Amino acid sequence: MGENTENTVVLGHGSGGIMMRRMIDELFFAAYGNDVLASGDDAAILPAPAEGQKLAFSTDSFVITPLFFPGGDIGRLAVCGTVNDVSTSGASPFAISCGFILEEGFSLESLRRICASMAQTAREAGVRIVTGDTKVVERGHADGVFINTAGIGAIDKGMQLSGANCRMGDAVLVSGTIGDHGIAIMSARNNLGFEAKVESDAAPLNHLVAHVLEVAPQTRCFRDPTRGGLASTLNEFAGQSGVDILIKEDAVPVRPPVEGACEMLGLDVFQVANEGKMVCVVAADEAEAALRAMQSEPYGKDAAIIGEVVAAKDPSFPKVYVQNGFGGRRILDMLVSEQLPRIC
Amino acid sequence: MGENTENTVVLGHGSGGIMMRRMIDELFFAAYGNDVLASGDDAAILPAPAEGQKLAFSTDSFVITPLFFPGGDIGRLAVCGTVNDVSTSGASPFAISCGFILEEGFSLESLRRICASMAQTAREAGVRIVTGDTKVVERGHADGVFINTAGIGAIDKGMQLSGANCRMGDAVLVSGTIGDHGIAIMSARNNLGFEAKVESDAAPLNHLVAHVLEVAPQTRCFRDPTRGGLASTLNEFAGQSGVDILIKEDAVPVRPPVEGACEMLGLDVFQVANEGKMVCVVAADEAEAALRAMQSEPYGKDAAIIGEVVAAKDPSFPKVYVQNGFGGRRILDMLVSEQLPRIC
């Protein structure tokens, strides 16, 4: 009713009819079309992994607000999130799917920007967006746009990375500064004034992971510390492996404005979300090689060895300890409830 | 604030912390856990397809309202939709992902029912739910629950099904009565009184597709006529192949209450959504075999040969014609805009 259907999403865009077809052609295909996506059939057909390989498969939905933020947007995040989740297994991601849930009235210009960002990020990561779906819900029943991506990767049969592999003496690395994404979003949302100084770290890390695996074949596991931050990832590793983990606080790279924001907001930076970082546990004698590999990658310049795996004091309650510069230790807990809704 | 967190979704369930972990264990894992999902790592690791096979990959999001309806629920739909999309390529689906977007305040009991339904449907189809994700948005920013599934299948290298394969003389089949899903949802939503008589047809059709392919190796294509109904599917085939399609109206199976509802509501049953039907184009000399295969399957008892592929009168505008019992012909158009939002 008087709605400008040229500029905004309308319910007809989700109809399965002509309007939807046109949106697919003019918007999605124009942004990230390729020969697989182009076929017009319901399923994308892809080459299987090479002999001796297995598949890795992961999915993530994105409900972040705001949709555009310093350092990225929901489209970049949606590609990076799934590329990184697939990569944590040691797999090379090669194809992703994309499901949009659009709210009636959402700006088509914003959607176009988001698609362009997905296309650019997919190119950077070397993956193709090969299949998709679009649904539209009435105004007030969603919030602009939600995106789901799922991703497939190929992985060598011998590769057995898992959070359950950590052993006493292993080194713990992080690929760069922590807390950037969470603070960038909080700041953008609440006009805290940190925007100018803190950008989201949203980045595809598949090349960084592959490089580490080349030089450190005894790598135990990777995980990207997104929601729940480093605290969740390290506690998950400790729990899966039945070990304690000891982190040296001074070794963990944190940008000064992120540190300042955390102090002001009363947050533990270890619990703040990241979207372009990997935590990695490696055999001690490969730690230096892994570190150099990370540091030679565009998204790993600030990588650091931040701690080690130690025997569990109480094997039924594996814990993560943070030791400060004076030798004092505190237990690093997982976030219990919610720190910041819709951070990704 | 005073919210009963025992019974409803709260923002903390999307935090990446302890509450989310507990929900994954007690709800998702309890419903459809398996050794791959259990590993606790970010990506599921799966065997690759056998040598000589390729991958099929598809995704679908589900925003249907109401969530529970005669004949199914959003969970059954979410599994069937992706299983069927993967199957249309001739692939055997084996793994699916599941991404939930939950609204704060959504009933955990409803979520449990939905997960149980997904588990039951996945078992029926013979696929495993191997990886997932959960996001929570604030009250009023979504509508209960949205689900995305993506699915992977294995497909023989020689299999080349495509809507672009239709040739003059081919037979067009449908696996059963059309319009059931759309009318069931419209009726449930508006208390039209048809609920007692019309149930959604939501069903996994991978076994039916496999059976047809066994007996009709020259099958050209499958497609499930969901949003946009038979009209969209047939027009897509005609457009992809550059042919006309001629349907005999009397041959198309429609339940009497669905026919009655369409008359009352002024709908063309050919444009009404289905969630458990396949349209199939086969070589004429394999049509009877394909039909018998469908009819021997639990979800194909009402299958019928409904028409044929004919030469395009105007090759630049391929069309679908419906011929009634008196020989009169009308052009069957695709839905232009929206008939019924959130039908799936």
Side-chain angles (χ1 to χ4, degrees), chain B residues 258-272:
Chain B
V258 170
E259 201 163 5
C262 285
E263 274 171 26
M264 190 184 103
L265 298 166
L267 298 172
D268 184 344
V269 70
F270 286 93
Q271 294 181 333
V272 178

Side-chain angles (χ1 to χ4, degrees), chain A residues 205-221:
Chain A
L205 301 174
N206 48 329
H207 302 311
L208 179 144
V209 166
H211 194 168
V212 170
L213 287 172
E214 263 173 47
V215 302
Q218 291 182 74
T219 297
R220 314 298 190 206
C221 52

Side-chain angles (χ1 to χ4, degrees), chain B residues 168-179:
Chain B
M168 244 173 49
D170 286 350
V172 180
L173 285 78
V174 67
S175 64
T177 56
I178 64 166

Side-chain angles (χ1 to χ4, degrees), chain B:
Chain B
M1 303 309 198
E3 186 74 58
N4 187 342
T5 63
E6 294 297 309
N7 298 325
T8 64
V9 170
V10 298
L11 291 169
H13 285 124
S15 65
I18 290 172
M19 288 189 71
M20 191 168 95
R21 189 71 251 165
R22 202 174 292 155
M23 174 187 258
I24 290 170
D25 289 345
E26 294 175 7
L27 227 147
F28 306 137
F29 193 75
Y32 46 66
N34 54 63
D35 55 336
V36 178
L37 185 66
S39 78
D41 291 305
D42 278 348
I45 305 300
L46 304 164
E51 221 191 308
Q53 291 195 309
K54 293 185 289 187
L55 289 173
F57 186 30
S58 191
T59 190
D60 230 335
S61 298
F62 298 85
V63 298
I64 194 166
T65 176
L67 298 173
F68 300 92
F69 47 82
D73 56 66
I74 190 172
R76 180 164 175 83
L77 213 57
V79 174
C80 293
T82 286
V83 161
N84 293 346
D85 278 349
V86 171
S87 302
T88 58
S89 66
S92 300
F94 59 88
I96 67 177
S97 65
C98 176
F100 287 104
I101 296 175
L102 303 170
E103 184 190 8
E104 180 188 17
F106 184 62
S107 150
L108 284 176
E109 185 46 37
S110 295
L111 186 56
R112 197 168 282 115
R113 278 175 65 196
I114 290 165
C115 290
S117 175
M118 295 187 76
Q120 193 274 325
T121 310
R123 263 195 307 274
E124 183 188 347
V127 302
R128 292 194 298 175
I129 301 170
V130 296
T131 185
D133 177 62
T134 308
K135 295 293 189 307
V136 181
V137 300
E138 316 89 318
R139 201 181 294 268
H141 291 264
D143 192 8
V145 54
F146 300 146
I147 303 179
N148 175 284
T149 50
I152 312 182
I155 178 172
D156 288 342
K157 264 192 181 137
M159 189 75 73
Q160 298 274 6
L161 303 185
S162 167
N165 290 346
C166 306
R167 302 180 211 166
M168 244 173 49
D170 286 350
V172 180
L173 285 78
V174 67
S175 64
T177 56
I178 64 166
D180 297 4
H181 178 74
I183 296 300
I185 299 304
M186 270 184 248
S187 192
R189 220 182 272 175
N190 302 304
N191 291 309
L192 297 182
F194 296 105
E195 298 90 303
K197 293 170 257 168
V198 184
E199 292 201 334
S200 166
D201 55 350
L205 300 174
N206 48 328
H207 302 312
L208 180 145
V209 166
H211 193 168
V212 170
L213 287 171
E214 263 174 47
V215 301
Q218 292 183 71
T219 296
R220 315 297 191 207
C221 52
F222 289 99
R223 192 158 300 168
D224 52 335
T226 56
R227 285 177 291 175
L230 204 55
S232 273
T233 296
L234 294 173
N235 274 288
E236 286 166 7
F237 285 169
Q240 283 181 272
S241 294
V243 296
D244 284 357
I245 293 178
L246 176 63
I247 299 297
K248 291 193 176 152
E249 191 153 33
D250 294 347
V252 179
V254 184
R255 287 187 208 288
V258 170
E259 201 163 5
C262 285
E263 274 171 26
M264 190 184 103
L265 298 166
L267 298 172
D268 184 344
V269 70
F270 286 93
Q271 294 181 333
V272 178
N274 311 275
E275 290 291 343
K277 295 292 148 35
M278 277 288 164
V279 183
C280 172
V281 180
V282 299
D285 59 354
E286 291 179 348
E288 282 298 328
L291 179 66
R292 280 192 303 273
M294 281 186 179
Q295 288 173 339
S296 73
E297 289 287 324
Y299 297 121
K301 295 196 192 318
D302 299 318
I305 298 172
I306 61 171
E308 62 178 323
V309 176
V310 296
K313 282 204 187 104
D314 176 354
S316 52
F317 290 101
K319 287 186 187 59
V320 179
Y321 296 92
V322 175
Q323 179 170 308
N324 66 24
F326 307 103
R329 288 187 184 186
R330 63 179 172 103
I331 291 173
L332 179 64
D333 277 324
M334 271 174 106
L335 214 52
V336 174
S337 178
E338 183 55 294
Q339 180 186 75
L340 184 69
R342 302 180 61 187
I343 190 79
C344 60

Side-chain angles (χ1 to χ4, degrees), chain A residues 49-137:
Chain A
E51 221 190 309
Q53 291 195 308
K54 293 185 289 186
L55 289 173
F57 186 29
S58 191
T59 191
D60 231 333
S61 298
F62 298 86
V63 298
I64 193 166
T65 176
L67 297 172
F68 301 92
F69 46 83
D73 56 66
I74 190 172
R76 181 165 174 84
L77 213 55
V79 174
C80 294
T82 286
V83 162
N84 292 346
D85 278 349
V86 171
S87 302
T88 57
S89 66
S92 300
F94 59 89
I96 66 177
S97 66
C98 175
F100 286 104
I101 296 176
L102 303 171
E103 184 189 8
E104 179 188 15
F106 185 62
S107 150
L108 284 176
E109 185 46 38
S110 295
L111 186 56
R112 196 167 283 117
R113 278 175 66 195
I114 290 166
C115 290
S117 176
M118 294 187 77
Q120 193 273 324
T121 310
R123 262 194 308 275
E124 183 188 347
V127 302
R128 292 193 299 175
I129 301 170
V130 295
T131 186
D133 176 63
T134 308
K135 294 293 189 305
V136 181
V137 300

